Amino acid sequence: MSLSLTRRRFLAGAASAVAAPYVVSPMAFGANDRIRVGAIGTGGRGSGHVGSFLGRRETEVAAVCDPFKSKRLRAKKRVENTYAGRAGKGTYKGCADTADFRELTNRDDIDAVVIASPEFWHAHHSVWALRSGKDVYCEKAMTLTVAEGQAVVDAVRRHGRVFQLGTQQRSSRNFRFACELARNGYLGKVHTVEVGVPGGRALPNVPPEPPPPDIDYEMWLGPAPWTPYNKLKCSYNWYFILDYCIGWIGSWGVHHVDIAQWGCPSLRTKPLEIEGTATFPTDGIANTSIGWHIHYRTPDGVHFSFTHNKVHPQGCRFVGDKGWVHVNRGGIRSDPPSLLKLRLKPDDEHLYVSSGHHSNFIECIHSRRDPVAAVEQGHSATVLTIIGDIASRLRRKLTWDWQTHTFVDDPDANRMLSRPMRSPWTL
């Protein structure tokens, strides 16, 4: 359907060009089987995704969505200028823009959706796109709550779609190799996993004010509780406000926690004992943790220690009775150092090889196989951070059951696995 619609648009554009200024279609300078992409969220991270898909001949950015008018129009202009410039003449006016994501996901001529909205929107944007037959690339963390994550997993499998979470470290050779060392016994029996990530922050108190004309504030809030607009919260600072995110413990934490579970699969399959502490702002509008230290223990003797990086150095470290390996975005180290020169044997466990996160997503759209950061792995990594945050807030030992996705015999903790949504939003 998307191909025929693209051809109809091209023919219509060619006919209208007789009586109008020359309008370029992307069909004029690329293959006619390109994947048409819609972008939800066009701020900092979303802008990066738009740029990546613009730079690929096999994809066409066809629509952009953001409740901030200035952001989406800036993205739209970038798309149209890029395609017009690529053709070398004329103008291109084929990129739609909207403040309402439903107008984008309901389009029959969109094949895939890339989501870079605030995290409290991820489940709605993902599920709506999946139900509309779109493949989805979604930024981390996957969802705000465990219940939302279960809904996304169900939608991916029910509708047979491709889903890639933006935990791009899985597309790095160093992270993959560290996990292969851990999983294949080259460290001996792994007994400890340590993860450190950046800590959170406090924010000052600010007075409420009317939302500026540039933002559709009702659409920005969506399912979150209604609170008055202020000049801080609708920007980067939403990361540190619990209505919208659980903070860096989740949004940064999910990257290295995902590597921890990749190298030590029992963290996502075995029952977990969890306990921890955290520090929180004492004043201002931020109410997510600034620092934390969470302990997870599995029945097979693994201790996973997850902290801000003033306790553990940034990255993920696997420690066994024969050595250790530590990996982060700056590089990889080991003891003994000879581990880094090791080559896996043919009968060792070789993990999924992805040379690039966007490229892997596109390849999987064609092949219909799961990408390297598939939905179940993205969900379990996100869950590990959420249940750690819950343990730090309750300040008591909890037991997590992966089979039921609940805490054992703890109704208060289980109530924190989902949140009410503001009408009319539901999943």
Side-chain angles (χ1 to χ4, degrees), residues 177-178 181 185-188 191 317-327 332-342:
F177 184 58
L181 290 176
Y186 289 106
L187 307 177
H191 53 77
R317 182 186 297 254
F318 299 100
V319 185
D321 52 24
K322 294 183 180 178
W324 57 261
V325 61
H326 183 272
V327 62
I332 184 169
R333 298 180 293 119
S334 72
D335 183 32
S338 58
L339 287 168
L340 301 186
K341 298 179 181 179
L342 182 146

Side-chain angles (χ1 to χ4, degrees), residues 14-294:
S16 64
V18 174
Y22 187 77
V23 177
V24 176
S25 164
M27 300 292 295
F29 49 79
N32 61 5
D33 60 350
R34 65 179 65 226
I35 296 165
R36 291 175 57 81
V37 177
I40 300 175
T42 58
R45 193 74 186 117
S47 177
H49 290 307
V50 168
S52 178
F53 288 113
L54 274 177
R56 297 172 183 274
R57 294 286 178 166
E58 68 269 45
T59 58
E60 174 189 342
V61 179
V64 294
C65 172
D66 202 294
F68 280 94
K69 184 176 181 180
S70 59
K71 291 181 181 181
R72 69 175 184 267
L73 291 184
R74 183 164 58 244
K76 174 185 174 77
K77 182 178 180 180
R78 180 186 184 190
V79 170
E80 294 183 337
N81 286 348
T82 297
Y83 288 145
R86 190 173 295 171
K89 58 181 178 180
T91 60
Y92 170 70
K93 298 296 181 184
C95 181
D97 73 276
T98 178
D100 189 334
F101 71 96
R102 293 167 294 189
E103 295 179 4
L104 184 153
T105 58
N106 286 346
R107 288 177 56 141
D108 290 333
D109 60 339
I110 297 289
D111 304 302
V113 173
V114 56
I115 297 166
S117 51
E119 286 171 20
F120 69 101
W121 264 118
H122 283 184
H124 289 81
H125 290 162
S126 295
V127 169
W128 203 282
L130 294 161
R131 289 173 180 167
S132 300
K134 319 306 182 195
D135 297 319
V136 171
Y137 183 115
C138 182
E139 263 305 324
K140 52 76 200 170
M142 196 172 98
T143 55
L144 182 62
T145 70
V146 172
E148 289 176 357
Q150 291 175 287
V152 173
V153 172
D154 179 72
V156 170
R157 297 310 173 197
R158 182 182 299 271
H159 299 285
R161 309 318 305 168
V162 171
F163 182 96
Q164 175 90 298
L165 188 66
T167 44
Q168 71 271 17
Q169 292 175 170
R170 286 200 176 215
S171 292
S172 162
R173 186 265 178 191
N174 282 347
F175 286 99
R176 182 178 68 250
F177 184 58
C179 293
E180 288 170 332
L181 290 176
R183 291 175 69 133
N184 286 297
Y186 289 106
L187 307 177
K189 177 176 172 51
V190 173
H191 53 77
T192 302
V193 184
E194 297 174 346
V195 162
V197 301
R201 65 176 64 174
L203 296 170
N205 283 306
V206 289
E209 59 184 82
D214 187 43
I215 185 175
D216 182 335
Y217 185 57
E218 280 295 317
M219 183 56 72
W220 189 91
L221 278 178
W226 192 91
T227 54
Y229 175 87
N230 67 59
K231 65 181 181 181
L232 287 184
K233 73 177 183 180
C234 294
S235 61
Y236 180 87
N237 296 309
W238 60 259
Y239 279 112
F240 310 105
I241 301 172
L242 193 60
D243 282 346
Y244 317 125
C245 180
I246 67 168
W248 265 176
I249 190 174
S251 199
W252 228 117
V254 70
H255 281 296
H256 289 313
V257 169
D258 178 50
I259 299 305
Q261 68 162 10
W262 204 19
C264 189
S266 65
L267 292 175
R268 64 181 301 266
T269 57
K270 303 288 186 182
L272 298 172
E273 287 189 349
I274 315 160
E275 56 186 329
T277 59
T279 57
F280 296 89
T282 57
D283 192 26
I285 66 171
N287 53 359
T288 60
S289 52
I290 296 174
W292 59 90
H293 197 162
I294 317 297

Side-chain angles (χ1 to χ4, degrees), residues 287-349:
N287 53 359
T288 60
S289 52
I290 296 174
W292 59 90
H293 197 162
I294 317 297
H295 302 275
Y296 308 73
R297 291 180 174 84
T298 69
D300 57 354
V302 174
H303 172 213
F304 172 35
S305 176
F306 172 35
T307 76
H308 60 293
N309 59 16
K310 291 184 180 179
V311 180
H312 295 321
Q314 189 156 320
C316 182
R317 182 186 297 254
F318 299 100
V319 185
D321 52 24
K322 294 183 180 178
W324 57 261
V325 61
H326 183 272
V327 62
N328 59 28
R329 296 182 186 182
I332 184 169
R333 298 180 293 119
S334 72
D335 183 32
S338 58
L339 287 168
L340 301 186
K341 298 179 181 179
L342 182 146
R343 291 191 176 184
L344 296 182
K345 302 181 184 70
D347 58 348
D348 280 338
E349 184 178 14

